[in-house]
Amino acid sequence: MRKFVKAVSSAVILTMALGMLSGCANTPKKVTFDYNADEYVKIGDYKGLEVTLDDYTVTEEDLQNVISQICESYVYYEKVDRAAKNGDEVTLNFDAYISGGKVEGFSDSDYGIIIGRDNFVIDGFEEALIGLKEGDSRAITGLQVPDDFAAEPSFAGRAITFNVEILSVSGPVLPEYNEDLVKEASGGEFSTVEEYNKELMRMLEENAVTNHYNDKYNQLLDIIVNNTEVIKDLPAEYIETKKTAIQEEVTQFTILYNMSEQDYLQKYYGVSTIEEYVNNQILLEFIFQQIIEKENLTVTEKYYKENLAQAASDRGYTSTEKFVEKFTEEGVVKAMLLDMAADIILDSAVEK
């Protein structure tokens, strides 16, 4: 992902904003912002912006690509009488030696490995199996334990040798795309290829609509941010408050994805530090606040009741009660205002 503003869909951005916004039918519901955005940022143009979008039309080729992926996920292996090559499944016995001593932790028997897919812990081990046939025995030298091998630090960075015995070689077989595969792939929901293909097309088209929306919206956000002048340092106390809240969330995801904090932030938000991530969030929040004020956007009691369920659903809530309990009524109203501001940006944009 290129930049923070290009990494988040509108629903996500507005959901993040809920965490910051700390409550007669046509009477506007009152809201109060914690900070006066006019003191910190001055936005430029945000309406009538031009964006260049990819063609998101779903084609027959797209459908065939998905079908190929489905078939590949059900690939099976049959024994072959030839040398192993990339993509084959090899069953083998192997013993590992470091400085002449056998290492049980790196040794195994009747071990199955798919060359090029299994990411064996020792780089080069899988590739060394290419060309071997059933019954072959060979010493594999010139390999090294990873420098960051944490399971046994004393082995890290050391040379390792393997004595391998090939028990069998099996080649991949791609299953036929037929009714049996369709039933298995769909969990029994579909029984014919035609029905399943229609569902796949529906999913592809739905995904294309989402991608088109996100591409358009993220490009617009990027332009708006670039058009915005920061006239005063963002409030330090607010940055610290946001940082504390976000740090816990980021930590949970780094554990879930087994990634470093820096790698996680770079991959998903295009930034390297929590501070940069927080600053981007606050900048976006202030930009939207200014748009809300410039457009005199309001939420009436009638609008609130009619749109509460949709606002909750857009942010992953099936219960409006839990949604309001989580963010408070005022926070939900502010989220609706943010949705309105997003609609102004999107509806006025010009697609090239």
Side-chain angles (χ1 to χ4, degrees), residues 191-348:
S191 57
T192 70
V193 170
E194 182 180 4
E195 290 175 344
Y196 193 45
N197 284 356
K198 287 181 179 179
E199 174 62 11
L200 293 176
M201 282 296 290
R202 185 197 67 78
M203 294 171 62
L204 284 169
E205 288 168 355
E206 183 179 274
N207 190 55
V209 170
T210 299
N211 289 337
H212 174 271
Y213 174 90
N214 287 339
D215 186 10
K216 178 179 179 180
Y217 188 69
N218 290 330
Q219 283 193 47
L220 290 169
L221 283 181
D222 193 31
I223 295 170
I224 293 169
V225 168
N226 289 333
N227 288 344
T228 298
E229 178 186 0
V230 178
I231 57 179
K232 180 181 177 181
D233 289 344
L234 300 179
E237 67 277 10
Y238 187 39
I239 291 174
E240 287 304 314
T241 299
K242 290 287 286 184
K243 181 179 176 181
T244 299
I246 289 173
Q247 182 68 66
E248 181 178 352
E249 175 186 328
V250 170
T251 298
Q252 290 175 349
F253 280 108
T254 57
I255 294 173
L256 177 65
Y257 297 137
N258 191 28
M259 300 173 69
S260 69
E261 181 177 289
Q262 182 175 353
D263 288 344
Y264 170 79
L265 291 171
Q266 189 64 53
K267 179 175 181 178
Y268 292 101
Y269 301 106
V271 298
S272 300
T273 66
I274 286 288
E275 289 76 14
E276 188 178 359
Y277 178 31
V278 171
N279 285 344
N280 283 338
Q281 279 195 299
I282 295 174
L283 178 59
L284 283 172
E285 291 164 2
F286 284 178
I287 287 172
F288 274 91
Q289 181 184 329
Q290 282 201 332
I291 295 174
I292 290 168
E293 293 170 348
K294 286 180 178 294
E295 298 292 331
N296 294 314
L297 301 178
T298 59
V299 172
T300 64
E301 184 66 34
K302 181 174 182 293
Y303 183 93
Y304 178 83
K305 291 179 179 179
E306 291 177 348
N307 291 274
L308 179 58
Q310 186 62 53
S313 177
D314 287 345
R315 293 157 179 84
Y317 285 81
T318 56
S319 166
T320 56
E321 290 78 11
K322 290 183 178 179
F323 180 55
V324 175
E325 180 183 351
K326 173 68 175 179
F327 298 110
T328 76
E329 182 174 312
E330 183 178 6
V332 173
V333 171
K334 290 177 179 178
M336 291 179 175
L337 290 171
L338 290 166
D339 284 338
M340 292 178 182
D343 287 341
I344 289 174
I345 294 170
L346 287 161
D347 292 345
S348 68

Side-chain angles (χ1 to χ4, degrees), residues 89-104:
E89 181 180 47
V90 177
T91 304
L92 69 160
N93 300 328
F94 59 91
D95 293 323
Y97 296 86
I98 294 178
S99 298
K102 183 177 178 180
V103 182
E104 294 294 342

Side-chain angles (χ1 to χ4, degrees), residues 75-139:
V75 70
Y76 59 96
Y77 294 84
E78 290 185 346
K79 191 173 180 180
V80 293
D81 185 19
R82 58 166 173 77
K85 60 183 182 179
N86 195 49
D88 284 346
E89 181 180 47
V90 177
T91 304
L92 69 160
N93 300 328
F94 59 91
D95 293 323
Y97 296 86
I98 294 178
S99 298
K102 183 177 178 180
V103 182
E104 294 294 342
F106 282 119
S107 303
D108 210 336
S109 59
D110 200 28
Y111 184 88
I113 187 169
I114 299 175
I115 300 174
R117 285 184 50 186
D118 279 355
N119 296 318
F120 194 78
V121 66
I122 305 297
D123 287 343
F125 180 81
E126 293 179 37
E127 292 78 4
L129 301 178
I130 294 176
L132 300 182
K133 298 185 296 184
E134 179 179 333
D136 285 351
S137 296
R138 179 173 298 178

